[in-house]
Amino acid sequence: MRGLAKVRRSHGAMEFVDRSRPSPAADEALVEVDYAGLCGSDAGIYEFESAFERMDLPTVIGHEYSGRVVEVGENVTKFDVGDRVVERPIRGCGDCYQCEIGESNVCQNAVITGVDHDGAYEQFVAVPEDALHPVPDSVEQQHAAMVEPTSIAARAVIENSRVTAGDRVLVEGPGPIGLLTAQIADAQGGTVVVSGVGQDAQYRLPLAEELGFETLNVAEADVEARREAVTDGVGYDVVFDTTGHPSGLPSAVDEVRKGGQIVLVGQTGETTMPYSPLVRSEIDLQCSYASMYDDFDRSLRLIDSGDVDAETFIDDRFSLLDADEAFEAFVAGETCKPVFDVSALYD
């Protein structure tokens, strides 16, 4: 079978490689992949950011996907051939302190599908039974491919934020996680504004508006005046920084009200700012990373109910046979959530 792999430690460098069809171990199921999404971390691999230096190339990438079980190992009891599934791609070791206390999303020894071992941009993947999550009949298979990013947003909003009905919420960054976060914060009863920068004006901010949100282009608008108007001069109750940019946290501090909350979801790297204003305003600074079983469960229900609008959100214009086009469009902000039909790779 063919897989789309990162083959060199440089920008781009994505090529098709040959892989043998894997045989599932006793505790694994063999999954045939139907649809797979393009994530910000996949784009990071494409650009080969420093966080991915640990990869042993060539590696087939992709970790957001939906598929069907086609074979099971002898010890598998929860899944049968024909079951539709998604994978929880961050696999905890089960033995470290974090795993023992139920925090496997921050496992000390975690491995990630599509980074530390071959991922979903190929026909078949062998997955441990305990890393799989069933997909209900009511959720379309293409829509199920976005359960994993939805679960990250669900954890950020439902588990790690204090958004409640009537709260004024700012989501910085109209990328995939930002727009999913906005939809879930809206479902929680928040009044949500989505902000972006100049390159977001072509596709991502218009998509946010199509999803029903007021938007703010910080490259053009009077940000302070908009905050004054939206929040009656108080500031936003909760600000989610999903930008992954060094400017995200400093601008969040400017936008949040005294006693409010900032939730960091995007991985910024380094930023420099004065921290005294956070202390003097008693701002709650909360981080949110990855997701767990209950976040996946909630995400399937959010997609099923329509609180997360998968149909509008998904961009299916791109093919894995010409994936560079999708990656370059993603990096340029010309798309938000490409989802590939992986059957294009099938022989």
Side-chain angles (χ1 to χ4, degrees):
M1 63 180 183
R2 287 187 298 172
L4 184 65
K6 182 72 175 181
V7 297
R8 292 184 300 279
R9 300 176 186 277
S10 59
H11 180 93
M14 304 293 296
E15 296 178 8
F16 290 108
V17 296
D18 291 325
R19 290 288 191 263
S20 299
R21 171 174 168 153
S23 297
D27 64 344
E28 292 181 330
L30 185 66
V31 178
E32 186 168 34
V33 181
D34 291 318
Y35 295 96
L38 193 165
C39 171
S41 59
D42 296 319
I45 294 171
Y46 182 80
E47 295 186 290
F48 210 66
E49 297 172 353
S50 59
F52 302 103
E53 287 287 349
R54 73 178 190 271
M55 292 178 67
D56 183 14
L57 305 182
T59 299
V60 176
I61 71 167
H63 62 276
E64 306 175 356
Y65 70 94
S66 60
R68 291 160 290 112
V69 174
V70 295
E71 185 180 346
V72 295
E74 60 184 13
N75 294 337
V76 172
T77 60
K78 296 180 182 178
F79 296 95
D80 296 311
V81 171
D83 287 351
R84 296 193 301 131
V85 294
V86 294
E87 180 187 343
R88 299 187 300 280
I90 298 181
R91 303 180 190 174
C93 67
D95 294 323
C96 71
Y97 180 76
Q98 277 68 33
C99 286
E100 293 285 7
I101 64 172
E103 298 176 354
S104 60
N105 62 310
V106 288
C107 167
Q108 297 178 29
N109 308 302
V111 295
I112 304 175
T113 297
V115 177
D116 300 303
H117 52 261
D118 281 350
Y121 289 177
E122 59 186 358
Q123 184 173 2
F124 297 106
V125 288
V127 186
E129 177 183 35
D130 61 7
L132 290 173
H133 204 105
V135 176
D137 293 340
S138 53
V139 175
E140 294 182 25
Q141 193 73 331
Q142 185 190 50
H143 296 176
M146 54 176 282
V147 168
E148 194 274 342
T150 304
S151 73
I152 294 172
R155 183 170 186 81
V157 177
I158 299 169
E159 289 291 331
N160 288 326
S161 90
R162 58 194 197 206
V163 172
T164 190
D167 278 351
R168 296 156 297 194
V169 177
L170 175 65
V171 176
E172 296 183 322
I177 301 302
L179 292 187
L180 289 166
T181 297
Q183 292 180 76
I184 298 170
D186 176 71
Q188 291 285 95
T191 300
V192 181
V193 176
V194 176
S195 68
V197 295
Q199 76 166 16
D200 299 318
Q202 177 181 347
Y203 184 94
R204 293 181 172 184
L205 288 175
L207 176 59
E209 292 170 359
E210 187 176 355
L211 290 166
F213 298 108
E214 181 179 343
T215 62
L216 173 65
N217 184 340
V218 300
E220 298 179 355
D222 185 332
V223 177
E224 182 177 356
R226 181 71 69 87
R227 179 179 68 251
E228 293 289 309
V230 171
T231 71
D232 296 323
V234 173
Y236 294 93
D237 298 292
V238 181
V239 178
F240 293 91
D241 174 16
T242 72
T243 62
H245 190 273
S247 65
L249 178 57
S251 63
V253 174
D254 291 336
E255 297 301 310
V256 73
R257 67 170 174 82
K258 290 189 174 184
Q261 183 189 39
I262 297 171
V263 182
L264 296 178
V265 188
Q267 297 182 46
T268 298
E270 295 184 8
T271 190
T272 301
M273 56 172 285
Y275 286 88
S276 293
L278 279 81
V279 178
R280 291 197 299 266
S281 297
E282 204 170 68
I283 292 169
D284 176 11
L285 187 60
Q286 170 70 47
C287 297
S288 189
Y289 178 69
S291 57
M292 298 177 67
Y293 184 98
D294 54 346
D295 305 309
F296 270 71
D297 223 34
R298 287 192 182 105
S299 297
L300 283 160
R301 293 195 296 273
L302 286 162
I303 293 170
D304 193 16
S305 68
D307 285 323
V308 168
D309 182 354
E311 189 66 31
T312 300
F313 190 62
I314 286 173
D315 186 354
D316 60 5
R317 294 176 295 161
F318 301 99
S319 170
L320 267 180
L321 298 177
D322 190 18
D324 280 351
E325 179 185 1
F327 279 95
E328 293 292 346
F330 187 94
V331 170
E334 297 167 0
T335 184
C336 184
K337 180 45 66 179
V339 172
F340 302 113
D341 182 344
V342 180
S343 67
L345 300 183
Y346 296 2
D347 294 328

